[in-house]
Amino acid sequence: MRLRALLDTDALGLRLLGGEDELDRTVRGVMTTDLKDPSRYLSGGELVLTGLAWRHDAADSEPFVRILAGAGVAALAAGEAELGDVPDDLIQACVRHRLPLFGVNESVAFATITEHVVRQVSGERAGDLAAVVDRHRRMMTSGPAGGGPDVVLDLLGSDLDLRAWVLSPTGRPIAGSKLAGAALPADVCAKLAAEHLAAARTGRRGPHRVTVGTTTYSLFPISSSGRSTGASRDVRETVLSDWLLAVEADAGDWPEERLDLLQGVTQLISVERERRDAARTVRRRLAQEVLELVQTGAAPAEIAARLRVAAPVLLPGLGAAPHWQVVVARVEWDGGDIEGGPVAQSLLEEILVNPLAAGPEHSDRIAVAHTGEEAIALLALPAVSSEHDGTETGLLADTLLEAVRDPLTAGLNDDGRLTLGVSAAVHSAEGLRGALEEARHARRVAAARPGRVCAAGHQELASHVLLLPFVPDDVRRAFTARLLDPLRDYDRRHRAELIPTLEAFLDCDGSWTRCATRLHLHVNTLRYRVGRIEQLTSRDLSRLEDKLDFFLALRMS
C-alpha cells in the first residue's frame, strides 16, 4: 500500500506534518518502537510508530531520524498522547532527511494502525497467514506484555503446526513452543548453533537449512547484523552474540509469504531480545564502577562500599555477603580492525549463564564490563559456611567452555580467537585486585595454547603448567628431542613401547608394582624396559631430577 492511502482512512487519525512530496512511497510493513536506535530491527519500507519515549530533549531527534532514513523506512508516525503536539525539532529533522511524518491522534491506538496496515499489506496472502501476522503484530505493539518469545512460538505451533525454538549463539535454549514438547537435546542445539554461525560467517543469507540425523531444520537469524546510521556493520561484531530461530521444517520449498512471516517473527523476538539486553545495563554499570575502583587503586573500604551496593542487585534476597570471582576474556580477530571488547562482553554474558538453566534470565549473578579489547566479568557467588569441606567453589576453567567450544569455534572461523582466564574466589574487597591480576595472567596462559577457544584457571598458576606455554619453541624442541628422540627411534625399530612405559612409570610415581599392574606386565619386564630407557638416555629414573626432566619433556612434546 502507499502512504497516501493512510491519510484517506479517517479511522486512523493521522495528520500529515511533513513530506507531502513523498506520499507515493510504498509501505511494506509496520513497526512500533521507542528505542533510540531501532536500526537492527528494520529492513526497509516500514511505517514506524513511536510514542516518543526515546526523546529526552531536542538533540535526540536528529540522530533518531537519521537512523530511520538510513534504514530506508517509508515514514514515521508519532503519537500525541505523551507530549501533546509533535515537537518542532522532530518535524524539522524529518524535513532535512525527506522522511514523511504523521501525527497520531491520542484517541487512536497504535494497534489500530498496525492491524490496518497488516491487513492491506497481507491482503493477498492466505487467510490463515494473515491472521497469524495480525496477532503477531498486535504483540509487537503491546511490548513485554505480549508474552515474549514463547508466546510467539506457540502461535507458530498452533496456527502453522511448526515446531520452533530460539537458541543462543552457543546453542543454549532460550524459548520453545508448546508444540515442540521436550527440549532439543544439547548435542542437537550445539550442532544447530555451530551450523548457523558457520553459515553467517560466509555471508549467506538465512534461512540456513541443516539436517541432523533424519530431521531437517531451517535456521533464521535474529537481529543478525543490523545497521548503524545507514552503514553495514561487519558480521564479526554481532555473529557471536545473535540469537537464532530454529524451525523443524525445510524452508527450501516454502512460498514467499511464509518466509516473510518467519522473518517477521524474528523481528518480534529481536524486540524482546533488546528489552532483555537493556536489563543488563545496570549490572554492566556496576561492574564498570567496581573495576575502575580496583584498577585505579581505590581504598578497600571504598571498593567494599560499592560491592555492598552491587550485592543485592546481583544476588537478590541473599542475606550473607557473597564471595566474588573474576573472569577475563579477549576476542581477537586477524588484522585487528574489529573492536573485541564488546564482542567479548556479550560472549561472557552468554557463556557464564548456567548451561543447564533454560531461558535468558539466569544471568542475574553476572556483571560484565569491557575496556579496550578486554571484557571482565564480576561473578557473585553465594557465601559458603566457614565449616565447608574445602571443595572448590565457583567456576572452573576446564569445564567452562566444554559445551560451547564447537559453536564458538565455528563462529570464530579461521580469523578469530577467544581466550579466557578464571580467578579463584575471593571473600572481600581486598582480594579483588589480586583476583583481577590472577584472571588476566590465566588468560595469558590460555593465549599461549593452540586452538580457537582456550581457557585457563587459577589452579594452573601454581604449577609447571604456567611455565610451559612460555618456553620458546626452539628450546622446547631441543629439550624434548634430546630426551625422547632416542626412545622414539627405538620404539619404531623394535616396537618396544618405551614411551608409554615411561609415561605410566611417572604417573605411578615410580611404583614398580602399580606400574606393572597398569601395563599388565611382569615386574621383571618393567624393570628391563626402564633399564633400556636409562641406557638410551644416560639418565637414572631413581633420581628426582631425571624424573622431573622426563616429566616436563613428555608434557612439552
Side-chain angles (χ1 to χ4, degrees), residues 135-152 268 271-272 275-276:
R135 293 166 70 181
H136 285 178
R137 297 301 184 185
R138 284 198 297 274
M139 281 192 295
M140 178 180 284
T141 65
S142 64
D150 293 286
V151 173
V152 178
L268 291 170
V271 172
E272 178 67 10
R275 183 187 71 82
R276 298 186 182 189

mmCIF file with all atom_site columns, all heavy atoms in Angstrom, residues 135-152 268 271-272 275-276:
data_model
loop_
_atom_site.group_PDB
_atom_site.id
_atom_site.type_symbol
_atom_site.label_atom_id
_atom_site.label_alt_id
_atom_site.label_comp_id
_atom_site.label_asym_id
_atom_site.label_entity_id
_atom_site.label_seq_id
_atom_site.pdbx_PDB_ins_code
_atom_site.Cartn_x
_atom_site.Cartn_y
_atom_site.Cartn_z
_atom_site.occupancy
_atom_site.B_iso_or_equiv
_atom_site.pdbx_formal_charge
_atom_site.auth_seq_id
_atom_site.auth_comp_id
_atom_site.auth_asym_id
_atom_site.auth_atom_id
_atom_site.pdbx_PDB_model_num
ATOM 1   N N   . ARG A 1 135 ? -1.972 -11.211 14.593 1.00 0.00 ? 135 ARG A N   1
ATOM 2   C CA  . ARG A 1 135 ? -1.789 -11.492 16.018 1.00 0.00 ? 135 ARG A CA  1
ATOM 3   C C   . ARG A 1 135 ? -0.366 -11.179 16.443 1.00 0.00 ? 135 ARG A C   1
ATOM 4   O O   . ARG A 1 135 ? -0.122 -10.634 17.519 1.00 0.00 ? 135 ARG A O   1
ATOM 5   C CB  . ARG A 1 135 ? -2.135 -12.955 16.301 1.00 0.00 ? 135 ARG A CB  1
ATOM 6   C CG  . ARG A 1 135 ? -3.612 -13.256 16.096 1.00 0.00 ? 135 ARG A CG  1
ATOM 7   C CD  . ARG A 1 135 ? -3.878 -14.736 16.043 1.00 0.00 ? 135 ARG A CD  1
ATOM 8   N NE  . ARG A 1 135 ? -3.684 -15.359 17.336 1.00 0.00 ? 135 ARG A NE  1
ATOM 9   C CZ  . ARG A 1 135 ? -3.838 -16.672 17.541 1.00 0.00 ? 135 ARG A CZ  1
ATOM 10  N NH1 . ARG A 1 135 ? -4.175 -17.459 16.537 1.00 0.00 ? 135 ARG A NH1 1
ATOM 11  N NH2 . ARG A 1 135 ? -3.648 -17.187 18.741 1.00 0.00 ? 135 ARG A NH2 1
ATOM 12  N N   . HIS A 1 136 ? 0.599  -11.496 15.595 1.00 0.00 ? 136 HIS A N   1
ATOM 13  C CA  . HIS A 1 136 ? 1.994  -11.191 15.931 1.00 0.00 ? 136 HIS A CA  1
ATOM 14  C C   . HIS A 1 136 ? 2.223  -9.687  16.025 1.00 0.00 ? 136 HIS A C   1
ATOM 15  O O   . HIS A 1 136 ? 2.911  -9.197  16.919 1.00 0.00 ? 136 HIS A O   1
ATOM 16  C CB  . HIS A 1 136 ? 2.912  -11.797 14.871 1.00 0.00 ? 136 HIS A CB  1
ATOM 17  C CG  . HIS A 1 136 ? 3.045  -13.277 14.992 1.00 0.00 ? 136 HIS A CG  1
ATOM 18  N ND1 . HIS A 1 136 ? 3.781  -14.030 14.119 1.00 0.00 ? 136 HIS A ND1 1
ATOM 19  C CD2 . HIS A 1 136 ? 2.524  -14.147 15.882 1.00 0.00 ? 136 HIS A CD2 1
ATOM 20  C CE1 . HIS A 1 136 ? 3.723  -15.302 14.460 1.00 0.00 ? 136 HIS A CE1 1
ATOM 21  N NE2 . HIS A 1 136 ? 2.966  -15.401 15.528 1.00 0.00 ? 136 HIS A NE2 1
ATOM 22  N N   . ARG A 1 137 ? 1.648  -8.947  15.078 1.00 0.00 ? 137 ARG A N   1
ATOM 23  C CA  . ARG A 1 137 ? 1.850  -7.504  15.091 1.00 0.00 ? 137 ARG A CA  1
ATOM 24  C C   . ARG A 1 137 ? 1.205  -6.876  16.316 1.00 0.00 ? 137 ARG A C   1
ATOM 25  O O   . ARG A 1 137 ? 1.707  -5.906  16.867 1.00 0.00 ? 137 ARG A O   1
ATOM 26  C CB  . ARG A 1 137 ? 1.260  -6.877  13.818 1.00 0.00 ? 137 ARG A CB  1
ATOM 27  C CG  . ARG A 1 137 ? 1.920  -7.345  12.532 1.00 0.00 ? 137 ARG A CG  1
ATOM 28  C CD  . ARG A 1 137 ? 3.403  -7.045  12.511 1.00 0.00 ? 137 ARG A CD  1
ATOM 29  N NE  . ARG A 1 137 ? 3.997  -7.407  11.249 1.00 0.00 ? 137 ARG A NE  1
ATOM 30  C CZ  . ARG A 1 137 ? 5.294  -7.347  10.977 1.00 0.00 ? 137 ARG A CZ  1
ATOM 31  N NH1 . ARG A 1 137 ? 6.125  -6.957  11.895 1.00 0.00 ? 137 ARG A NH1 1
ATOM 32  N NH2 . ARG A 1 137 ? 5.747  -7.694  9.795  1.00 0.00 ? 137 ARG A NH2 1
ATOM 33  N N   . ARG A 1 138 ? 0.079  -7.415  16.757 1.00 0.00 ? 138 ARG A N   1
ATOM 34  C CA  . ARG A 1 138 ? -0.546 -6.891  17.973 1.00 0.00 ? 138 ARG A CA  1
ATOM 35  C C   . ARG A 1 138 ? 0.377  -7.088  19.172 1.00 0.00 ? 138 ARG A C   1
ATOM 36  O O   . ARG A 1 138 ? 0.460  -6.239  20.052 1.00 0.00 ? 138 ARG A O   1
ATOM 37  C CB  . ARG A 1 138 ? -1.904 -7.567  18.215 1.00 0.00 ? 138 ARG A CB  1
ATOM 38  C CG  . ARG A 1 138 ? -2.993 -7.057  17.308 1.00 0.00 ? 138 ARG A CG  1
ATOM 39  C CD  . ARG A 1 138 ? -4.370 -7.413  17.872 1.00 0.00 ? 138 ARG A CD  1
ATOM 40  N NE  . ARG A 1 138 ? -4.581 -8.844  17.954 1.00 0.00 ? 138 ARG A NE  1
ATOM 41  C CZ  . ARG A 1 138 ? -5.044 -9.590  16.954 1.00 0.00 ? 138 ARG A CZ  1
ATOM 42  N NH1 . ARG A 1 138 ? -5.329 -9.029  15.792 1.00 0.00 ? 138 ARG A NH1 1
ATOM 43  N NH2 . ARG A 1 138 ? -5.219 -10.881 17.099 1.00 0.00 ? 138 ARG A NH2 1
ATOM 44  N N   . MET A 1 139 ? 1.070  -8.216  19.205 1.00 0.00 ? 139 MET A N   1
ATOM 45  C CA  . MET A 1 139 ? 2.005  -8.442  20.307 1.00 0.00 ? 139 MET A CA  1
ATOM 46  C C   . MET A 1 139 ? 3.159  -7.464  20.262 1.00 0.00 ? 139 MET A C   1
ATOM 47  O O   . MET A 1 139 ? 3.664  -7.030  21.283 1.00 0.00 ? 139 MET A O   1
ATOM 48  C CB  . MET A 1 139 ? 2.535  -9.872  20.262 1.00 0.00 ? 139 MET A CB  1
ATOM 49  C CG  . MET A 1 139 ? 1.556  -10.881 20.815 1.00 0.00 ? 139 MET A CG  1
ATOM 50  S SD  . MET A 1 139 ? 2.351  -12.454 21.064 1.00 0.00 ? 139 MET A SD  1
ATOM 51  C CE  . MET A 1 139 ? 2.726  -12.866 19.387 1.00 0.00 ? 139 MET A CE  1
ATOM 52  N N   . MET A 1 140 ? 3.582  -7.092  19.059 1.00 0.00 ? 140 MET A N   1
ATOM 53  C CA  . MET A 1 140 ? 4.671  -6.125  18.948 1.00 0.00 ? 140 MET A CA  1
ATOM 54  C C   . MET A 1 140 ? 4.265  -4.800  19.584 1.00 0.00 ? 140 MET A C   1
ATOM 55  O O   . MET A 1 140 ? 5.057  -4.147  20.267 1.00 0.00 ? 140 MET A O   1
ATOM 56  C CB  . MET A 1 140 ? 5.051  -5.903  17.481 1.00 0.00 ? 140 MET A CB  1
ATOM 57  C CG  . MET A 1 140 ? 6.157  -4.863  17.294 1.00 0.00 ? 140 MET A CG  1
ATOM 58  S SD  . MET A 1 140 ? 6.587  -4.603  15.567 1.00 0.00 ? 140 MET A SD  1
ATOM 59  C CE  . MET A 1 140 ? 7.537  -6.076  15.262 1.00 0.00 ? 140 MET A CE  1
ATOM 60  N N   . THR A 1 141 ? 2.999  -4.376  19.383 1.00 0.00 ? 141 THR A N   1
ATOM 61  C CA  . THR A 1 141 ? 2.565  -3.100  19.932 1.00 0.00 ? 141 THR A CA  1
ATOM 62  C C   . THR A 1 141 ? 2.389  -3.164  21.435 1.00 0.00 ? 141 THR A C   1
ATOM 63  O O   . THR A 1 141 ? 2.413  -2.137  22.108 1.00 0.00 ? 141 THR A O   1
ATOM 64  C CB  . THR A 1 141 ? 1.230  -2.665  19.303 1.00 0.00 ? 141 THR A CB  1
ATOM 65  O OG1 . THR A 1 141 ? 0.197  -3.594  19.661 1.00 0.00 ? 141 THR A OG1 1
ATOM 66  C CG2 . THR A 1 141 ? 1.332  -2.587  17.792 1.00 0.00 ? 141 THR A CG2 1
ATOM 67  N N   . SER A 1 142 ? 2.230  -4.368  21.978 1.00 0.00 ? 142 SER A N   1
ATOM 68  C CA  . SER A 1 142 ? 1.971  -4.467  23.416 1.00 0.00 ? 142 SER A CA  1
ATOM 69  C C   . SER A 1 142 ? 3.237  -4.589  24.230 1.00 0.00 ? 142 SER A C   1
ATOM 70  O O   . SER A 1 142 ? 3.189  -4.627  25.445 1.00 0.00 ? 142 SER A O   1
ATOM 71  C CB  . SER A 1 142 ? 1.068  -5.675  23.699 1.00 0.00 ? 142 SER A CB  1
ATOM 72  O OG  . SER A 1 142 ? 1.723  -6.881  23.351 1.00 0.00 ? 142 SER A OG  1
ATOM 73  N N   . GLY A 1 143 ? 4.412  -4.698  23.572 1.00 0.00 ? 143 GLY A N   1
ATOM 74  C CA  . GLY A 1 143 ? 5.681  -4.744  24.292 1.00 0.00 ? 143 GLY A CA  1
ATOM 75  C C   . GLY A 1 143 ? 5.807  -6.007  25.117 1.00 0.00 ? 143 GLY A C   1
ATOM 76  O O   . GLY A 1 143 ? 5.296  -7.070  24.748 1.00 0.00 ? 143 GLY A O   1
ATOM 77  N N   . PRO A 1 144 ? 6.482  -5.942  26.279 1.00 0.00 ? 144 PRO A N   1
ATOM 78  C CA  . PRO A 1 144 ? 6.724  -7.124  27.092 1.00 0.00 ? 144 PRO A CA  1
ATOM 79  C C   . PRO A 1 144 ? 5.449  -7.853  27.489 1.00 0.00 ? 144 PRO A C   1
ATOM 80  O O   . PRO A 1 144 ? 5.463  -9.052  27.710 1.00 0.00 ? 144 PRO A O   1
ATOM 81  C CB  . PRO A 1 144 ? 7.457  -6.573  28.326 1.00 0.00 ? 144 PRO A CB  1
ATOM 82  C CG  . PRO A 1 144 ? 8.063  -5.296  27.854 1.00 0.00 ? 144 PRO A CG  1
ATOM 83  C CD  . PRO A 1 144 ? 7.111  -4.740  26.835 1.00 0.00 ? 144 PRO A CD  1
ATOM 84  N N   . ALA A 1 145 ? 4.333  -7.119  27.597 1.00 0.00 ? 145 ALA A N   1
ATOM 85  C CA  . ALA A 1 145 ? 3.092  -7.770  27.984 1.00 0.00 ? 145 ALA A CA  1
ATOM 86  C C   . ALA A 1 145 ? 2.629  -8.774  26.943 1.00 0.00 ? 145 ALA A C   1
ATOM 87  O O   . ALA A 1 145 ? 1.743  -9.578  27.189 1.00 0.00 ? 145 ALA A O   1
ATOM 88  C CB  . ALA A 1 145 ? 2.000  -6.722  28.214 1.00 0.00 ? 145 ALA A CB  1
ATOM 89  N N   . GLY A 1 146 ? 3.220  -8.729  25.735 1.00 0.00 ? 146 GLY A N   1
ATOM 90  C CA  . GLY A 1 146 ? 2.839  -9.666  24.694 1.00 0.00 ? 146 GLY A CA  1
ATOM 91  C C   . GLY A 1 146 ? 3.213  -11.095 25.007 1.00 0.00 ? 146 GLY A C   1
ATOM 92  O O   . GLY A 1 146 ? 2.730  -12.008 24.370 1.00 0.00 ? 146 GLY A O   1
ATOM 93  N N   . GLY A 1 147 ? 4.066  -11.333 25.956 1.00 0.00 ? 147 GLY A N   1
ATOM 94  C CA  . GLY A 1 147 ? 4.357  -12.688 26.384 1.00 0.00 ? 147 GLY A CA  1
ATOM 95  C C   . GLY A 1 147 ? 5.719  -13.202 26.004 1.00 0.00 ? 147 GLY A C   1
ATOM 96  O O   . GLY A 1 147 ? 6.102  -14.288 26.396 1.00 0.00 ? 147 GLY A O   1
ATOM 97  N N   . GLY A 1 148 ? 6.489  -12.449 25.218 1.00 0.00 ? 148 GLY A N   1
ATOM 98  C CA  . GLY A 1 148 ? 7.843  -12.848 24.913 1.00 0.00 ? 148 GLY A CA  1
ATOM 99  C C   . GLY A 1 148 ? 7.916  -13.925 23.843 1.00 0.00 ? 148 GLY A C   1
ATOM 100 O O   . GLY A 1 148 ? 6.927  -14.287 23.203 1.00 0.00 ? 148 GLY A O   1
ATOM 101 N N   . PRO A 1 149 ? 9.116  -14.481 23.630 1.00 0.00 ? 149 PRO A N   1
ATOM 102 C CA  . PRO A 1 149 ? 9.330  -15.441 22.548 1.00 0.00 ? 149 PRO A CA  1
ATOM 103 C C   . PRO A 1 149 ? 8.448  -16.673 22.648 1.00 0.00 ? 149 PRO A C   1
ATOM 104 O O   . PRO A 1 149 ? 8.015  -17.205 21.628 1.00 0.00 ? 149 PRO A O   1
ATOM 105 C CB  . PRO A 1 149 ? 10.817 -15.803 22.698 1.00 0.00 ? 149 PRO A CB  1
ATOM 106 C CG  . PRO A 1 149 ? 11.423 -14.691 23.460 1.00 0.00 ? 149 PRO A CG  1
ATOM 107 C CD  . PRO A 1 149 ? 10.352 -14.168 24.361 1.00 0.00 ? 149 PRO A CD  1
ATOM 108 N N   . ASP A 1 150 ? 8.168  -17.149 23.861 1.00 0.00 ? 150 ASP A N   1
ATOM 109 C CA  . ASP A 1 150 ? 7.383  -18.378 23.996 1.00 0.00 ? 150 ASP A CA  1
ATOM 110 C C   . ASP A 1 150 ? 6.010  -18.234 23.359 1.00 0.00 ? 150 ASP A C   1
ATOM 111 O O   . ASP A 1 150 ? 5.517  -19.157 22.697 1.00 0.00 ? 150 ASP A O   1
ATOM 112 C CB  . ASP A 1 150 ? 7.245  -18.755 25.473 1.00 0.00 ? 150 ASP A CB  1
ATOM 113 C CG  . ASP A 1 150 ? 8.573  -19.147 26.086 1.00 0.00 ? 150 ASP A CG  1
ATOM 114 O OD1 . ASP A 1 150 ? 9.050  -20.252 25.780 1.00 0.00 ? 150 ASP A OD1 1
ATOM 115 O OD2 . ASP A 1 150 ? 9.134  -18.347 26.841 1.00 0.00 ? 150 ASP A OD2 1
ATOM 116 N N   . VAL A 1 151 ? 5.356  -17.087 23.563 1.00 0.00 ? 151 VAL A N   1
ATOM 117 C CA  . VAL A 1 151 ? 4.022  -16.886 23.006 1.00 0.00 ? 151 VAL A CA  1
ATOM 118 C C   . VAL A 1 151 ? 4.085  -16.826 21.484 1.00 0.00 ? 151 VAL A C   1
ATOM 119 O O   . VAL A 1 151 ? 3.237  -17.379 20.787 1.00 0.00 ? 151 VAL A O   1
ATOM 120 C CB  . VAL A 1 151 ? 3.381  -15.611 23.586 1.00 0.00 ? 151 VAL A CB  1
ATOM 121 C CG1 . VAL A 1 151 ? 2.072  -15.297 22.878 1.00 0.00 ? 151 VAL A CG1 1
ATOM 122 C CG2 . VAL A 1 151 ? 3.141  -15.776 25.076 1.00 0.00 ? 151 VAL A CG2 1
ATOM 123 N N   . VAL A 1 152 ? 5.101  -16.147 20.952 1.00 0.00 ? 152 VAL A N   1
ATOM 124 C CA  . VAL A 1 152 ? 5.255  -16.085 19.505 1.00 0.00 ? 152 VAL A CA  1
ATOM 125 C C   . VAL A 1 152 ? 5.422  -17.490 18.934 1.00 0.00 ? 152 VAL A C   1
ATOM 126 O O   . VAL A 1 152 ? 4.803  -17.854 17.926 1.00 0.00 ? 152 VAL A O   1
ATOM 127 C CB  . VAL A 1 152 ? 6.454  -15.199 19.122 1.00 0.00 ? 152 VAL A CB  1
ATOM 128 C CG1 . VAL A 1 152 ? 6.644  -15.174 17.621 1.00 0.00 ? 152 VAL A CG1 1
ATOM 129 C CG2 . VAL A 1 152 ? 6.271  -13.789 19.658 1.00 0.00 ? 152 VAL A CG2 1
ATOM 130 N N   . LEU A 1 268 ? 9.976  -9.755  15.815 1.00 0.00 ? 268 LEU A N   1
ATOM 131 C CA  . LEU A 1 268 ? 9.278  -9.697  17.099 1.00 0.00 ? 268 LEU A CA  1
ATOM 132 C C   . LEU A 1 268 ? 10.166 -10.196 18.235 1.00 0.00 ? 268 LEU A C   1
ATOM 133 O O   . LEU A 1 268 ? 10.243 -9.603  19.304 1.00 0.00 ? 268 LEU A O   1
ATOM 134 C CB  . LEU A 1 268 ? 8.003  -10.542 17.038 1.00 0.00 ? 268 LEU A CB  1
ATOM 135 C CG  . LEU A 1 268 ? 6.890  -10.022 16.139 1.00 0.00 ? 268 LEU A CG  1
ATOM 136 C CD1 . LEU A 1 268 ? 5.815  -11.078 15.981 1.00 0.00 ? 268 LEU A CD1 1
ATOM 137 C CD2 . LEU A 1 268 ? 6.284  -8.761  16.711 1.00 0.00 ? 268 LEU A CD2 1
ATOM 138 N N   . VAL A 1 271 ? 12.883 -7.769  19.310 1.00 0.00 ? 271 VAL A N   1
ATOM 139 C CA  . VAL A 1 271 ? 12.440 -6.702  20.215 1.00 0.00 ? 271 VAL A CA  1
ATOM 140 C C   . VAL A 1 271 ? 12.548 -7.170  21.661 1.00 0.00 ? 271 VAL A C   1
ATOM 141 O O   . VAL A 1 271 ? 13.011 -6.438  22.545 1.00 0.00 ? 271 VAL A O   1
ATOM 142 C CB  . VAL A 1 271 ? 10.992 -6.279  19.884 1.00 0.00 ? 271 VAL A CB  1
ATOM 143 C CG1 . VAL A 1 271 ? 10.462 -5.327  20.941 1.00 0.00 ? 271 VAL A CG1 1
ATOM 144 C CG2 . VAL A 1 271 ? 10.936 -5.628  18.519 1.00 0.00 ? 271 VAL A CG2 1
ATOM 145 N N   . GLU A 1 272 ? 12.141 -8.402  21.914 1.00 0.00 ? 272 GLU A N   1
ATOM 146 C CA  . GLU A 1 272 ? 12.260 -8.955  23.261 1.00 0.00 ? 272 GLU A CA  1
ATOM 147 C C   . GLU A 1 272 ? 13.724 -9.093  23.661 1.00 0.00 ? 272 GLU A C   1
ATOM 148 O O   . GLU A 1 272 ? 14.102 -8.843  24.801 1.00 0.00 ? 272 GLU A O   1
ATOM 149 C CB  . GLU A 1 272 ? 11.566 -10.317 23.319 1.00 0.00 ? 272 GLU A CB  1
ATOM 150 C CG  . GLU A 1 272 ? 11.649 -11.029 24.660 1.00 0.00 ? 272 GLU A CG  1
ATOM 151 C CD  . GLU A 1 272 ? 10.879 -10.307 25.753 1.00 0.00 ? 272 GLU A CD  1
ATOM 152 O OE1 . GLU A 1 272 ? 10.128 -9.367  25.436 1.00 0.00 ? 272 GLU A OE1 1
ATOM 153 O OE2 . GLU A 1 272 ? 11.029 -10.684 26.930 1.00 0.00 ? 272 GLU A OE2 1
ATOM 154 N N   . ARG A 1 275 ? 14.962 -5.792  24.786 1.00 0.00 ? 275 ARG A N   1
ATOM 155 C CA  . ARG A 1 275 ? 14.469 -5.448  26.125 1.00 0.00 ? 275 ARG A CA  1
ATOM 156 C C   . ARG A 1 275 ? 15.295 -6.151  27.198 1.00 0.00 ? 275 ARG A C   1
ATOM 157 O O   . ARG A 1 275 ? 15.657 -5.550  28.224 1.00 0.00 ? 275 ARG A O   1
ATOM 158 C CB  . ARG A 1 275 ? 12.996 -5.847  26.257 1.00 0.00 ? 275 ARG A CB  1
ATOM 159 C CG  . ARG A 1 275 ? 12.376 -5.469  27.597 1.00 0.00 ? 275 ARG A CG  1
ATOM 160 C CD  . ARG A 1 275 ? 10.976 -6.028  27.736 1.00 0.00 ? 275 ARG A CD  1
ATOM 161 N NE  . ARG A 1 275 ? 10.977 -7.464  27.914 1.00 0.00 ? 275 ARG A NE  1
ATOM 162 C CZ  . ARG A 1 275 ? 11.183 -8.066  29.104 1.00 0.00 ? 275 ARG A CZ  1
ATOM 163 N NH1 . ARG A 1 275 ? 11.420 -7.335  30.174 1.00 0.00 ? 275 ARG A NH1 1
ATOM 164 N NH2 . ARG A 1 275 ? 11.147 -9.373  29.195 1.00 0.00 ? 275 ARG A NH2 1
ATOM 165 N N   . ARG A 1 276 ? 15.604 -7.408  26.978 1.00 0.00 ? 276 ARG A N   1
ATOM 166 C CA  . ARG A 1 276 ? 16.345 -8.164  27.988 1.00 0.00 ? 276 ARG A CA  1
ATOM 167 C C   . ARG A 1 276 ? 17.807 -7.731  28.045 1.00 0.00 ? 276 ARG A C   1
ATOM 168 O O   . ARG A 1 276 ? 18.422 -7.733  29.107 1.00 0.00 ? 276 ARG A O   1
ATOM 169 C CB  . ARG A 1 276 ? 16.214 -9.658  27.709 1.00 0.00 ? 276 ARG A CB  1
ATOM 170 C CG  . ARG A 1 276 ? 14.769 -10.109 27.804 1.00 0.00 ? 276 ARG A CG  1
ATOM 171 C CD  . ARG A 1 276 ? 14.602 -11.601 27.690 1.00 0.00 ? 276 ARG A CD  1
ATOM 172 N NE  . ARG A 1 276 ? 13.179 -11.949 27.735 1.00 0.00 ? 276 ARG A NE  1
ATOM 173 C CZ  . ARG A 1 276 ? 12.710 -13.176 27.832 1.00 0.00 ? 276 ARG A CZ  1
ATOM 174 N NH1 . ARG A 1 276 ? 13.548 -14.195 27.906 1.00 0.00 ? 276 ARG A NH1 1
ATOM 175 N NH2 . ARG A 1 276 ? 11.413 -13.400 27.861 1.00 0.00 ? 276 ARG A NH2 1
#
